[in-house]
Amino acid sequence: MPDNSSYLVVPSAALWLFILVIVGISSLTLAVVLSRARQARNAKLARMEAGPVRSPLPEFEKNGQSAAAALVQWSPETLRHILAKELPDAQVIVVSNREPYIHNRDGDDIQLVVPASGLVSALEPITRACAGTWIAYGGGSADTLVVDENDRIAVPPENPSYTLRRVWLSEEEQQGYYLGFANEGLWPLCHIAFTRPIFRASDWEAYEAVNRKFADTVVAEARNERPIVLVQDYHFALLPRMIRERLPEAIIITFWHIPWPNSEVFSICPWREKILEGLLGSSIVGFHTQFHCNNFIDSVDRFLESRIEREDSAISYGGQISLVHAYPISIEWEPARQAQLPDVAECRRHVREKFGLADDVRLCVGVERLDYTKGILDRFTALDELLRLHPEWIGKVAFLQIAAPSRGTLPAYQQLHDECLRQAEDLNRRYGRDGYTPVLMVTEHHSQEQVYEIYRAADVCMVTSLHDGMNLVAKEFVAARDDEQGVLLLSMFAGASKELLEALIVNPYDATMMGDALLQALTMSPDEQRQRMQRMREVVRDNNVYRWAGSMLLDAARLRKRVAVDRAVGAAPTSSGNVISLLDRRRVAAL
């Protein structure tokens, strides 16, 4: 038998040579990969040393507004110029549930109250600049005593510049329309705060009736067929369609100040189609963020037979176009009330003296209505987390919660009030000592001057909304700090977090994260506070309330000009005074 061992030597040697070549190539490849990774890491470190990594763009810098808008110094004069040039002779009518000035009886005297409301803070300077008419529910105990025979009064009292037209509601109307459908139904429906919405047929009937009453008032106040009507918030979802039916050439801009839920959540509402139809009576429907715009468009797409052009954020329904745009609301710059206050040092001294705080105690504040969407209990939990894990802060930090009473007859709000008091008492019992109270819970109304004084006295402002449209407290705190100190701790679920990127952004549902962020805020150096505050103040200054209103008025002017062009070329004007040809033009252009 032949010996075959010699034949096996060559194949084995070739095999080992092949393996060695493969290993060599793999090693070379791995070395190249590691070298490139090392170079990339070193380049990244060099960039970090050279300067800070750029943050994401704020919402208002990427929402499609023109670059020129950011270069304009927005002011009352800017608004008046827009009205004079783009909307000559236009009458501006604002409609809201809450009025900017309230008259109450005080014994034999009449007391004037300016509510500390985000909506009022935003709209009052706009209405002054436009010399418009503001229509609102007159709920003050002396409101009827100061109006003329047409239920009007010129305001502000010290320098009348616009007209306040009050609408009177019965106790039954207020109960069903405001407390019932608006605040037990729509409010929890639109806020992810895990409170079940309540819908009653009687509340819906009252809501319809009150919206009709306000529509009658708008028509009565309109000086011609083409006013610009700014409808505010969830109290008036039916109002745009009602106005459109009687003033077909009006420009109607509806701004929804609270979040808009996704279409599945919105489907809970028994009258969902009627609410959408009512809002689509608007020329423009505005929200704070593009996310809420998208949710609204999805709801229309699901429940109404309509034509939607997502690229243009336009909805064609019932023979008219409604544009759906994001307009991040803001505040007046600089706040008029702040000029009446002393410097920061004096504000700190007065607030500490008022609430019995020692000079070495760091002050954290929260300011808002007493509402379950604001995350007040979560702030208490964060303070508990801080003091439990870092007991060295016991006696050195206090939390002042200003919680204006709100909707106190509703069970959910009564329960929240009681729970807040219980939790505050528990924290004070466990961590308090002689001369030191960690939680100061003040459930009283405060004037705007008092609120700004508290902002200026604070070391930290906590805005921990569980869900919010914008939240103007965050912007008011920033505007109040002309000393460029103080730290803003801001919920990721508030619209303001899309703009104020230099705040400490937190998840209010994460107690550990909140406690850590509070510690970071309390230990932040003055230099870092200054850098963060300077940038946030630039954002609030440049994106102030006049830019918010000016953007809407410019869009209104464009709509009106398109209608004029349609008429000039012989196109049949739409019944809405809007631009029905917009989608048709896109379709023809694509042919």
Side-chain angles (χ1 to χ4, degrees), residues 421-471:
L421 291 180
R422 280 197 301 271
Q423 193 160 340
E425 291 170 358
D426 177 62
L427 289 171
N428 290 336
R429 183 178 63 256
R430 288 192 287 126
Y431 299 114
R433 58 184 64 166
D434 289 342
Y436 170 65
T437 304
V439 178
L440 302 165
M441 183 80 183
V442 183
T443 55
E444 300 173 359
H445 290 284
H446 284 63
S447 69
Q448 289 181 319
E449 288 87 351
Q450 291 172 320
V451 166
Y452 268 83
E453 182 181 55
I454 290 170
Y455 291 149
R456 290 165 71 79
D459 296 294
V460 181
C461 180
M462 299 182 72
V463 177
T464 56
S465 310
L466 304 180
H467 202 191
D468 223 330
M470 175 56 66
N471 194 293

Side-chain angles (χ1 to χ4, degrees), residues 101-142:
Y101 296 94
I102 303 171
H103 291 88
N104 286 325
R105 294 179 183 272
D106 184 14
D108 294 332
D109 299 325
I110 295 177
Q111 180 185 26
L112 178 69
V113 177
V114 179
S117 157
L119 183 145
V120 169
S121 298
L123 285 169
E124 210 273 336
I126 301 307
T127 318
R128 273 193 275 116
C130 297
T133 298
W134 188 323
I135 300 173
Y137 162 56
S141 57

Side-chain angles (χ1 to χ4, degrees), residues 183 187-188 191 193 195 370-376 412-413 416 466:
N183 288 307
W187 180 267
H191 287 86
T195 297
L370 186 63
D371 193 283
Y372 53 76
T373 66
K374 301 303 182 182
I376 297 174
Y413 289 83
L416 174 67
L466 304 180

Side-chain angles (χ1 to χ4, degrees), residues 28 61 69 86 148 164 171 211 305 364-365 413 443 477 486 540:
L28 181 61
E61 290 182 4
E86 306 291 343
D148 63 17
L164 173 59
E171 186 64 33
N211 273 246
E305 289 291 333
C364 304
V365 302
Y413 289 83
T443 55
F477 173 70
V540 177

Side-chain angles (χ1 to χ4, degrees), residues 351 355 357 362-368 379-380 383 398-403 437-442 446 454 457 460:
V351 168
F355 293 102
L357 299 172
R362 308 297 294 277
L363 177 60
C364 304
V365 302
V367 180
E368 56 262 301
R379 290 171 210 169
F380 292 164
L383 181 64
F399 178 63
L400 170 62
Q401 177 62 58
I402 304 297
T437 304
V439 178
L440 302 165
M441 183 80 183
V442 183
H446 284 63
I454 290 170
V460 181

